[in-house]
Structure formats: C-alpha cells, structure tokens
Amino acid sequence: QVQLEQSGAEVKKPGASVKVSCKASGYSFTSYDLNWVRQAPGQGLEWMGWMNPYSGNTGYAEQFQGRVTFTSDNAITTAYMELNNLRSDDTAMYYCAVRGWYMVRGVNYYFDNWGQGTLVTVSA
Amino acid sequence: DIQLTQSPSSLSASVGDRVTITCRASQTINTYLNWYQQKAGKPPKLLIYAASNLQSGVPSRFSGSGSGTDFTLTISSLQPEDFGTYHCRQSYSLPYSFGQGTKLDIK
C-alpha cells in the first residue's frame, strides 16, 4: 500500500534552514507529483507547492518563492523539502502528500495519501 | 488565485443528526474538489474526491455534491467518531488551495 514516511521533528533558530524528508513506498515514485502542505498550530492547511520526481519540475506557492526548494532522490524514492531563512511563523506541521489514479484489473482507483507530518519549531 | 470559503467555521451536532458543510469557490473549479477529515495530531484523510465520489473505505453516510463554485459535504446520520475538522481543497488550477476548515463537535 502507499506509504509516505517523514523525518522527525526539528527545532531551529530564526534564520536557519530545515530539510524535511519524505520516504515513499508502495507505488511508482516517479509517476506521480508530490505535494507539500503545512499547518500552523490551530490553523488551516496551506499548500506550499508540488514536485514531479521524474522530471524534477517544481511549482511553489507565491508566499514561499525564493525560500523553499523541493528535491528528490529517485534511487531511494525520497523527496525533500528545504525551507530557508526560517521565521517564528514557519512553526508548523509539514506534510508531504501524493494523489492520483491507478488501475487494477481494468478498474481505476483513486488514491490520496499523506505522510504523518513533521513538526518544525522555530524559536530563539 | 482561487479562494475557498467554508461555512460554518464550527458547529456542534448530536449523534444521528444530518450535518451539512459548504465550500464556495471564488471562481469556477468544475468538480475539482476534494473533502478531507482531520483529527487532532493526524494528517487529513480523504473522504470525497471530484466533488461527489466516495473514497474507498469511507462510510456511505458521507456524501458530496456540487459543481462550479458551490459544493456540499453531507453526513446523513452523525456518528460519535465523526468529530474533527473538515477541509475542502481545489485542484482545478495552481496554486491549489484549501478552505479554512470546519470544526465539528459532537454534543
């Protein structure tokens, strides 16, 4: 089954960088875009952007442009999200997520799976 | 950019009640709308995709409807395990976006 396993919680100081990993299994890693979403404490979900592991193409939400980078190591089916110049309002749970269609014996199925989340705390 | 507005922001209902949550898009999104349920400390779980399709394994008391700009998530008979926060998400155009969430409490 589709699984996304994220790296552990991080505590960073303002101005530092953080790199979160997302290890994928149970599906063809390079066949589906991977999205990153974050959720500040007590707040709603915020879409950060997407990455296609096959092509390396990425798209970032405007509020993160210039500060975030999505990469992947296809050999180990792992995606990464790096956020630079951290601020206190970057304190949040960060999720990777994948969705798409697959076919089994002629029947199409939709999947939409999320990692367990990585808590990033930014504090002086 | 497309904004999604959910209503209500919170509600409290009793077991057995019929519950309706709405999601309105700032421009047409066809049926590119998903509904999620999220419980504290957990990632969102997909309930409905493409506005009205029940995800495999999700109880049939959940249903979705709508197209264009107005969408509805309905729980036909509320169960105790249905508490949590419900989110809508559009994937019609980039940047994708979520509604602000609806927190559902069980009376």
Side-chain angles (χ1 to χ4, degrees):
Chain A
Q1 71 281 24
V2 175
Q3 285 193 318
L4 299 173
E5 187 69 29
Q6 297 185 224
S7 48
E10 304 264 12
V11 179
K12 297 291 182 180
K13 294 193 181 302
S17 298
V18 68
K19 192 169 186 177
V20 176
S21 68
C22 172
K23 166 72 175 174
S25 61
Y27 72 99
S28 175
F29 180 67
T30 54
S31 297
Y32 299 94
D33 292 349
L34 201 129
N35 284 247
W36 289 90
V37 175
R38 77 176 187 181
Q39 186 171 37
Q43 302 301 307
L45 299 166
E46 182 177 27
W47 183 79
M48 299 180 68
W50 64 273
M51 175 181 183
N52 182 292
Y54 178 79
S55 64
N57 289 342
T58 56
Y60 302 118
E62 186 174 356
Q63 63 267 39
F64 300 104
Q65 286 273 6
R67 222 165 48 97
V68 71
T69 305
F70 302 149
T71 57
S72 69
D73 184 338
N74 295 348
I76 57 171
T77 65
T78 299
Y80 302 92
M81 184 283 298
E82 184 169 24
L83 187 60
N84 302 315
N85 195 18
L86 290 167
R87 310 184 292 249
S88 58
D89 61 359
D90 290 319
T91 293
M93 187 72 81
Y94 289 77
Y95 295 103
C96 57
V98 64
R99 63 188 178 90
W101 292 90
Y102 65 95
M103 184 179 288
V104 177
R105 289 190 286 273
V107 179
N108 281 318
Y109 295 91
Y110 183 78
F111 72 99
D112 182 311
N113 289 71
W114 296 58
Q116 82 277 20
T118 297
L119 180 62
V120 175
T121 302
V122 183
S123 174
Chain B
D1 296 1
I2 296 174
Q3 269 73 52
L4 298 180
T5 303
Q6 287 183 235
S7 61
S9 295
S10 65
L11 77 153
S12 185
S14 300
V15 172
D17 283 354
R18 182 181 181 88
V19 171
T20 299
I21 299 168
T22 66
C23 180
R24 174 163 288 175
S26 59
Q27 61 191 77
T28 183
I29 57 171
N30 199 334
T31 58
Y32 288 83
L33 187 104
N34 288 359
W35 288 99
Y36 299 85
Q37 177 194 63
Q38 186 180 27
K39 301 206 173 180
K42 298 292 187 182
K45 172 191 170 185
L46 180 69
L47 300 175
I48 302 287
Y49 65 92
S52 60
N53 296 275
L54 189 69
Q55 177 65 347
S56 176
V58 174
S60 58
R61 63 181 179 273
F62 291 93
S63 65
S65 64
S67 68
T69 60
D70 293 307
F71 301 86
T72 299
L73 173 71
T74 300
I75 308 173
S76 60
S77 179
L78 193 66
Q79 298 301 301
E81 61 268 29
D82 296 337
F83 72 92
T85 301
Y86 291 81
H87 307 273
C88 56
R89 194 273 295 268
Q90 68 85 15
S91 56
Y92 178 77
S93 68
L94 294 171
Y96 298 156
S97 49
F98 292 88
Q100 81 278 16
T102 295
K103 187 174 181 181
L104 173 59
D105 292 324
I106 309 296
K107 280 182 185 174

mmCIF file of all heavy atoms in Angstrom, chain B residues 1-37:
data_model
loop_
_atom_site.group_PDB
_atom_site.id
_atom_site.type_symbol
_atom_site.label_atom_id
_atom_site.label_comp_id
_atom_site.label_asym_id
_atom_site.label_seq_id
_atom_site.Cartn_x
_atom_site.Cartn_y
_atom_site.Cartn_z
ATOM 1 N N ASP B 1 -5.691 33.775 -8.058
ATOM 2 C CA ASP B 1 -5.727 32.594 -7.198
ATOM 3 C C ASP B 1 -7.162 32.326 -6.749
ATOM 4 O O ASP B 1 -7.938 33.248 -6.542
ATOM 5 C CB ASP B 1 -4.838 32.784 -5.968
ATOM 6 C CG ASP B 1 -3.370 32.940 -6.301
ATOM 7 O OD1 ASP B 1 -3.030 32.928 -7.516
ATOM 8 O OD2 ASP B 1 -2.566 33.087 -5.361
ATOM 9 N N ILE B 2 -7.473 31.049 -6.571
ATOM 10 C CA ILE B 2 -8.824 30.656 -6.173
ATOM 11 C C ILE B 2 -8.914 30.560 -4.661
ATOM 12 O O ILE B 2 -8.104 29.883 -4.024
ATOM 13 C CB ILE B 2 -9.191 29.311 -6.818
ATOM 14 C CG1 ILE B 2 -9.233 29.458 -8.347
ATOM 15 C CG2 ILE B 2 -10.545 28.813 -6.293
ATOM 16 C CD1 ILE B 2 -9.434 28.157 -9.095
ATOM 17 N N GLN B 3 -9.892 31.260 -4.100
ATOM 18 C CA GLN B 3 -10.152 31.191 -2.668
ATOM 19 C C GLN B 3 -11.338 30.266 -2.419
ATOM 20 O O GLN B 3 -12.328 30.282 -3.166
ATOM 21 C CB GLN B 3 -10.484 32.568 -2.099
ATOM 22 C CG GLN B 3 -9.264 33.330 -1.596
ATOM 23 C CD GLN B 3 -8.409 33.842 -2.749
ATOM 24 O OE1 GLN B 3 -8.890 34.458 -3.611
ATOM 25 N NE2 GLN B 3 -7.130 33.572 -2.740
ATOM 26 N N LEU B 4 -11.230 29.469 -1.370
ATOM 27 C CA LEU B 4 -12.310 28.595 -0.940
ATOM 28 C C LEU B 4 -12.804 29.063 0.421
ATOM 29 O O LEU B 4 -12.013 29.268 1.334
ATOM 30 C CB LEU B 4 -11.847 27.142 -0.840
ATOM 31 C CG LEU B 4 -11.371 26.470 -2.118
ATOM 32 C CD1 LEU B 4 -10.953 25.031 -1.837
ATOM 33 C CD2 LEU B 4 -12.465 26.486 -3.188
ATOM 34 N N THR B 5 -14.113 29.230 0.525
ATOM 35 C CA THR B 5 -14.711 29.682 1.781
ATOM 36 C C THR B 5 -15.653 28.618 2.299
ATOM 37 O O THR B 5 -16.632 28.269 1.629
ATOM 38 C CB THR B 5 -15.478 30.996 1.583
ATOM 39 O OG1 THR B 5 -14.595 31.986 1.040
ATOM 40 C CG2 THR B 5 -16.034 31.489 2.914
ATOM 41 N N GLN B 6 -15.359 28.085 3.462
ATOM 42 C CA GLN B 6 -16.195 27.070 4.074
ATOM 43 C C GLN B 6 -17.137 27.703 5.091
ATOM 44 O O GLN B 6 -16.812 28.697 5.733
ATOM 45 C CB GLN B 6 -15.333 26.033 4.815
ATOM 46 C CG GLN B 6 -14.586 25.089 3.910
ATOM 47 C CD GLN B 6 -13.814 24.037 4.679
ATOM 48 O OE1 GLN B 6 -12.620 23.895 4.491
ATOM 49 N NE2 GLN B 6 -14.494 23.292 5.554
ATOM 50 N N SER B 7 -18.310 27.103 5.217
ATOM 51 C CA SER B 7 -19.233 27.511 6.266
ATOM 52 C C SER B 7 -20.033 26.305 6.748
ATOM 53 O O SER B 7 -20.323 25.398 5.958
ATOM 54 C CB SER B 7 -20.173 28.614 5.760
ATOM 55 O OG SER B 7 -20.943 28.145 4.679
ATOM 56 N N PRO B 8 -20.298 26.264 8.054
ATOM 57 C CA PRO B 8 -19.823 27.225 9.046
ATOM 58 C C PRO B 8 -18.361 26.968 9.400
ATOM 59 O O PRO B 8 -17.790 25.977 8.951
ATOM 60 C CB PRO B 8 -20.735 26.935 10.229
ATOM 61 C CG PRO B 8 -21.008 25.469 10.123
ATOM 62 C CD PRO B 8 -21.085 25.169 8.648
ATOM 63 N N SER B 9 -17.780 27.829 10.207
ATOM 64 C CA SER B 9 -16.411 27.607 10.680
ATOM 65 C C SER B 9 -16.391 26.545 11.767
ATOM 66 O O SER B 9 -15.382 25.841 11.932
ATOM 67 C CB SER B 9 -15.817 28.907 11.219
ATOM 68 O OG SER B 9 -15.694 29.844 10.183
ATOM 69 N N SER B 10 -17.471 26.454 12.509
ATOM 70 C CA SER B 10 -17.595 25.418 13.526
ATOM 71 C C SER B 10 -19.058 25.096 13.720
ATOM 72 O O SER B 10 -19.939 25.919 13.426
ATOM 73 C CB SER B 10 -16.966 25.865 14.848
ATOM 74 O OG SER B 10 -17.662 26.964 15.381
ATOM 75 N N LEU B 11 -19.307 23.886 14.193
ATOM 76 C CA LEU B 11 -20.666 23.506 14.530
ATOM 77 C C LEU B 11 -20.659 22.372 15.528
ATOM 78 O O LEU B 11 -19.687 21.614 15.614
ATOM 79 C CB LEU B 11 -21.473 23.117 13.277
ATOM 80 C CG LEU B 11 -21.251 21.750 12.646
ATOM 81 C CD1 LEU B 11 -22.505 21.314 11.909
ATOM 82 C CD2 LEU B 11 -20.082 21.793 11.712
ATOM 83 N N SER B 12 -21.728 22.285 16.253
ATOM 84 C CA SER B 12 -21.917 21.241 17.235
ATOM 85 C C SER B 12 -23.225 20.534 16.909
ATOM 86 O O SER B 12 -24.250 21.193 16.692
ATOM 87 C CB SER B 12 -21.960 21.849 18.638
ATOM 88 O OG SER B 12 -22.035 20.853 19.617
ATOM 89 N N ALA B 13 -23.187 19.220 16.827
ATOM 90 C CA ALA B 13 -24.374 18.465 16.442
ATOM 91 C C ALA B 13 -24.469 17.184 17.270
ATOM 92 O O ALA B 13 -23.472 16.746 17.876
ATOM 93 C CB ALA B 13 -24.334 18.144 14.959
ATOM 94 N N SER B 14 -25.652 16.602 17.267
ATOM 95 C CA SER B 14 -25.905 15.397 18.050
ATOM 96 C C SER B 14 -25.799 14.147 17.188
ATOM 97 O O SER B 14 -25.997 14.209 15.963
ATOM 98 C CB SER B 14 -27.287 15.467 18.675
ATOM 99 O OG SER B 14 -27.403 16.580 19.539
ATOM 100 N N VAL B 15 -25.507 13.047 17.834
ATOM 101 C CA VAL B 15 -25.481 11.764 17.133
ATOM 102 C C VAL B 15 -26.826 11.533 16.453
ATOM 103 O O VAL B 15 -27.886 11.747 17.059
ATOM 104 C CB VAL B 15 -25.150 10.618 18.107
ATOM 105 C CG1 VAL B 15 -25.304 9.261 17.427
ATOM 106 C CG2 VAL B 15 -23.732 10.785 18.649
ATOM 107 N N GLY B 16 -26.755 11.144 15.196
ATOM 108 C CA GLY B 16 -27.965 10.917 14.421
ATOM 109 C C GLY B 16 -28.390 12.106 13.578
ATOM 110 O O GLY B 16 -29.213 11.949 12.663
ATOM 111 N N ASP B 17 -27.842 13.285 13.857
ATOM 112 C CA ASP B 17 -28.188 14.477 13.086
ATOM 113 C C ASP B 17 -27.667 14.375 11.658
ATOM 114 O O ASP B 17 -26.673 13.710 11.386
ATOM 115 C CB ASP B 17 -27.600 15.746 13.715
ATOM 116 C CG ASP B 17 -28.364 16.227 14.928
ATOM 117 O OD1 ASP B 17 -29.433 15.642 15.229
ATOM 118 O OD2 ASP B 17 -27.890 17.181 15.578
ATOM 119 N N ARG B 18 -28.331 15.099 10.789
ATOM 120 C CA ARG B 18 -27.836 15.300 9.428
ATOM 121 C C ARG B 18 -27.037 16.593 9.439
ATOM 122 O O ARG B 18 -27.519 17.629 9.893
ATOM 123 C CB ARG B 18 -29.003 15.418 8.454
ATOM 124 C CG ARG B 18 -28.608 15.582 6.998
ATOM 125 C CD ARG B 18 -29.854 15.703 6.136
ATOM 126 N NE ARG B 18 -29.576 15.831 4.715
ATOM 127 C CZ ARG B 18 -29.425 14.803 3.895
ATOM 128 N NH1 ARG B 18 -29.537 13.562 4.345
ATOM 129 N NH2 ARG B 18 -29.188 15.001 2.609
ATOM 130 N N VAL B 19 -25.802 16.516 8.964
ATOM 131 C CA VAL B 19 -24.885 17.659 9.016
ATOM 132 C C VAL B 19 -24.469 18.038 7.596
ATOM 133 O O VAL B 19 -24.138 17.161 6.782
ATOM 134 C CB VAL B 19 -23.627 17.316 9.852
ATOM 135 C CG1 VAL B 19 -22.577 18.419 9.728
ATOM 136 C CG2 VAL B 19 -24.005 17.115 11.318
ATOM 137 N N THR B 20 -24.480 19.336 7.330
ATOM 138 C CA THR B 20 -24.086 19.830 6.018
ATOM 139 C C THR B 20 -23.026 20.913 6.166
ATOM 140 O O THR B 20 -23.189 21.843 6.962
ATOM 141 C CB THR B 20 -25.296 20.395 5.247
ATOM 142 O OG1 THR B 20 -26.244 19.343 5.053
ATOM 143 C CG2 THR B 20 -24.863 20.941 3.894
ATOM 144 N N ILE B 21 -21.957 20.782 5.419
ATOM 145 C CA ILE B 21 -20.883 21.771 5.370
ATOM 146 C C ILE B 21 -20.746 22.226 3.921
ATOM 147 O O ILE B 21 -20.799 21.402 2.999
ATOM 148 C CB ILE B 21 -19.550 21.158 5.852
ATOM 149 C CG1 ILE B 21 -19.670 20.685 7.306
ATOM 150 C CG2 ILE B 21 -18.403 22.155 5.713
ATOM 151 C CD1 ILE B 21 -18.519 19.820 7.778
ATOM 152 N N THR B 22 -20.601 23.521 3.732
ATOM 153 C CA THR B 22 -20.492 24.038 2.373
ATOM 154 C C THR B 22 -19.111 24.621 2.114
ATOM 155 O O THR B 22 -18.409 25.060 3.018
ATOM 156 C CB THR B 22 -21.563 25.101 2.083
ATOM 157 O OG1 THR B 22 -21.310 26.233 2.907
ATOM 158 C CG2 THR B 22 -22.939 24.556 2.363
ATOM 159 N N CYS B 23 -18.753 24.619 0.847
ATOM 160 C CA CYS B 23 -17.479 25.164 0.386
ATOM 161 C C CYS B 23 -17.773 25.940 -0.886
ATOM 162 O O CYS B 23 -18.316 25.371 -1.852
ATOM 163 C CB CYS B 23 -16.501 24.020 0.117
ATOM 164 S SG CYS B 23 -14.865 24.514 -0.472
ATOM 165 N N ARG B 24 -17.441 27.213 -0.879
ATOM 166 C CA ARG B 24 -17.702 28.060 -2.045
ATOM 167 C C ARG B 24 -16.378 28.542 -2.630
ATOM 168 O O ARG B 24 -15.519 29.068 -1.901
ATOM 169 C CB ARG B 24 -18.575 29.244 -1.663
ATOM 170 C CG ARG B 24 -18.784 30.259 -2.781
ATOM 171 C CD ARG B 24 -19.951 31.175 -2.488
ATOM 172 N NE ARG B 24 -21.215 30.462 -2.627
ATOM 173 C CZ ARG B 24 -22.395 31.022 -2.328
ATOM 174 N NH1 ARG B 24 -22.465 32.254 -1.869
ATOM 175 N NH2 ARG B 24 -23.508 30.324 -2.489
ATOM 176 N N ALA B 25 -16.227 28.382 -3.932
ATOM 177 C CA ALA B 25 -15.008 28.817 -4.617
ATOM 178 C C ALA B 25 -15.197 30.207 -5.213
ATOM 179 O O ALA B 25 -16.303 30.566 -5.632
ATOM 180 C CB ALA B 25 -14.650 27.822 -5.719
ATOM 181 N N SER B 26 -14.098 30.955 -5.266
ATOM 182 C CA SER B 26 -14.165 32.325 -5.774
ATOM 183 C C SER B 26 -14.315 32.370 -7.292
ATOM 184 O O SER B 26 -14.656 33.427 -7.842
ATOM 185 C CB SER B 26 -12.916 33.098 -5.354
ATOM 186 O OG SER B 26 -11.743 32.473 -5.851
ATOM 187 N N GLN B 27 -14.080 31.260 -7.975
ATOM 188 C CA GLN B 27 -14.348 31.133 -9.397
ATOM 189 C C GLN B 27 -14.596 29.660 -9.688
ATOM 190 O O GLN B 27 -14.311 28.804 -8.840
ATOM 191 C CB GLN B 27 -13.182 31.672 -10.232
ATOM 192 C CG GLN B 27 -11.863 30.966 -10.017
ATOM 193 C CD GLN B 27 -10.694 31.706 -10.653
ATOM 194 O OE1 GLN B 27 -10.215 32.694 -10.135
ATOM 195 N NE2 GLN B 27 -10.263 31.214 -11.801
ATOM 196 N N THR B 28 -15.079 29.376 -10.864
ATOM 197 C CA THR B 28 -15.464 28.005 -11.148
ATOM 198 C C THR B 28 -14.281 27.043 -11.071
ATOM 199 O O THR B 28 -13.162 27.371 -11.516
ATOM 200 C CB THR B 28 -16.127 27.884 -12.530
ATOM 201 O OG1 THR B 28 -16.558 26.525 -12.728
ATOM 202 C CG2 THR B 28 -15.167 28.273 -13.635
ATOM 203 N N ILE B 29 -14.520 25.887 -10.469
ATOM 204 C CA ILE B 29 -13.487 24.858 -10.383
ATOM 205 C C ILE B 29 -14.012 23.527 -10.916
ATOM 206 O O ILE B 29 -13.481 22.460 -10.596
ATOM 207 C CB ILE B 29 -12.955 24.691 -8.936
ATOM 208 C CG1 ILE B 29 -14.095 24.360 -7.957
ATOM 209 C CG2 ILE B 29 -12.209 25.938 -8.490
ATOM 210 C CD1 ILE B 29 -13.601 23.976 -6.561
ATOM 211 N N ASN B 30 -15.081 23.591 -11.725
ATOM 212 C CA ASN B 30 -15.674 22.376 -12.277
ATOM 213 C C ASN B 30 -16.030 21.447 -11.116
ATOM 214 O O ASN B 30 -16.785 21.824 -10.229
ATOM 215 C CB ASN B 30 -14.697 21.740 -13.263
ATOM 216 C CG ASN B 30 -15.392 20.765 -14.216
ATOM 217 O OD1 ASN B 30 -16.432 20.207 -13.875
ATOM 218 N ND2 ASN B 30 -14.812 20.556 -15.379
ATOM 219 N N THR B 31 -15.472 20.244 -11.099
ATOM 220 C CA THR B 31 -15.676 19.353 -9.937
ATOM 221 C C THR B 31 -14.331 18.959 -9.330
ATOM 222 O O THR B 31 -14.214 17.891 -8.714
ATOM 223 C CB THR B 31 -16.466 18.091 -10.346
ATOM 224 O OG1 THR B 31 -15.762 17.419 -11.386
ATOM 225 C CG2 THR B 31 -17.882 18.436 -10.773
ATOM 226 N N TYR B 32 -13.337 19.824 -9.463
ATOM 227 C CA TYR B 32 -12.010 19.527 -8.942
ATOM 228 C C TYR B 32 -11.918 19.871 -7.456
ATOM 229 O O TYR B 32 -11.141 20.737 -7.029
ATOM 230 C CB TYR B 32 -10.939 20.281 -9.734
ATOM 231 C CG TYR B 32 -10.732 19.725 -11.121
ATOM 232 C CD1 TYR B 32 -11.566 20.085 -12.180
ATOM 233 C CD2 TYR B 32 -9.685 18.838 -11.381
ATOM 234 C CE1 TYR B 32 -11.369 19.569 -13.454
ATOM 235 C CE2 TYR B 32 -9.480 18.326 -12.643
ATOM 236 C CZ TYR B 32 -10.331 18.698 -13.669
ATOM 237 O OH TYR B 32 -10.128 18.184 -14.924
ATOM 238 N N LEU B 33 -12.739 19.197 -6.669
ATOM 239 C CA LEU B 33 -12.806 19.494 -5.247
ATOM 240 C C LEU B 33 -12.797 18.207 -4.441
ATOM 241 O O LEU B 33 -13.543 17.274 -4.745
ATOM 242 C CB LEU B 33 -14.075 20.292 -4.910
ATOM 243 C CG LEU B 33 -14.060 20.755 -3.453
ATOM 244 C CD1 LEU B 33 -13.720 22.226 -3.361
ATOM 245 C CD2 LEU B 33 -15.361 20.448 -2.750
ATOM 246 N N ASN B 34 -11.951 18.168 -3.438
ATOM 247 C CA ASN B 34 -11.886 17.041 -2.503
ATOM 248 C C ASN B 34 -12.291 17.499 -1.112
ATOM 249 O O ASN B 34 -12.085 18.669 -0.756
ATOM 250 C CB ASN B 34 -10.469 16.469 -2.440
ATOM 251 C CG ASN B 34 -10.066 15.708 -3.700
ATOM 252 O OD1 ASN B 34 -10.847 15.580 -4.646
ATOM 253 N ND2 ASN B 34 -8.846 15.211 -3.709
ATOM 254 N N TRP B 35 -12.816 16.554 -0.349
ATOM 255 C CA TRP B 35 -13.142 16.787 1.060
ATOM 256 C C TRP B 35 -12.286 15.866 1.932
ATOM 257 O O TRP B 35 -12.122 14.687 1.618
ATOM 258 C CB TRP B 35 -14.605 16.502 1.342
ATOM 259 C CG TRP B 35 -15.573 17.504 0.801
ATOM 260 C CD1 TRP B 35 -16.297 17.412 -0.351
ATOM 261 C CD2 TRP B 35 -15.947 18.746 1.419
ATOM 262 N NE1 TRP B 35 -17.093 18.522 -0.504
ATOM 263 C CE2 TRP B 35 -16.911 19.347 0.571
ATOM 264 C CE3 TRP B 35 -15.577 19.405 2.589
ATOM 265 C CZ2 TRP B 35 -17.497 20.581 0.872
ATOM 266 C CZ3 TRP B 35 -16.158 20.627 2.881
ATOM 267 C CH2 TRP B 35 -17.107 21.207 2.037
ATOM 268 N N TYR B 36 -11.797 16.422 3.039
ATOM 269 C CA TYR B 36 -10.956 15.680 3.969
ATOM 270 C C TYR B 36 -11.499 15.816 5.381
ATOM 271 O O TYR B 36 -12.079 16.852 5.744
ATOM 272 C CB TYR B 36 -9.518 16.209 3.965
ATOM 273 C CG TYR B 36 -8.813 16.119 2.635
ATOM 274 C CD1 TYR B 36 -8.970 17.124 1.684
ATOM 275 C CD2 TYR B 36 -7.990 15.043 2.331
ATOM 276 C CE1 TYR B 36 -8.320 17.049 0.463
ATOM 277 C CE2 TYR B 36 -7.343 14.962 1.110
ATOM 278 C CZ TYR B 36 -7.516 15.971 0.187
ATOM 279 O OH TYR B 36 -6.865 15.896 -1.027
ATOM 280 N N GLN B 37 -11.227 14.794 6.178
ATOM 281 C CA GLN B 37 -11.477 14.830 7.612
ATOM 282 C C GLN B 37 -10.123 14.770 8.310
ATOM 283 O O GLN B 37 -9.250 13.983 7.931
ATOM 284 C CB GLN B 37 -12.304 13.618 8.037
ATOM 285 C CG GLN B 37 -12.562 13.520 9.530
ATOM 286 C CD GLN B 37 -13.085 12.133 9.904
ATOM 287 O OE1 GLN B 37 -12.399 11.131 9.739
ATOM 288 N NE2 GLN B 37 -14.319 12.084 10.396
#
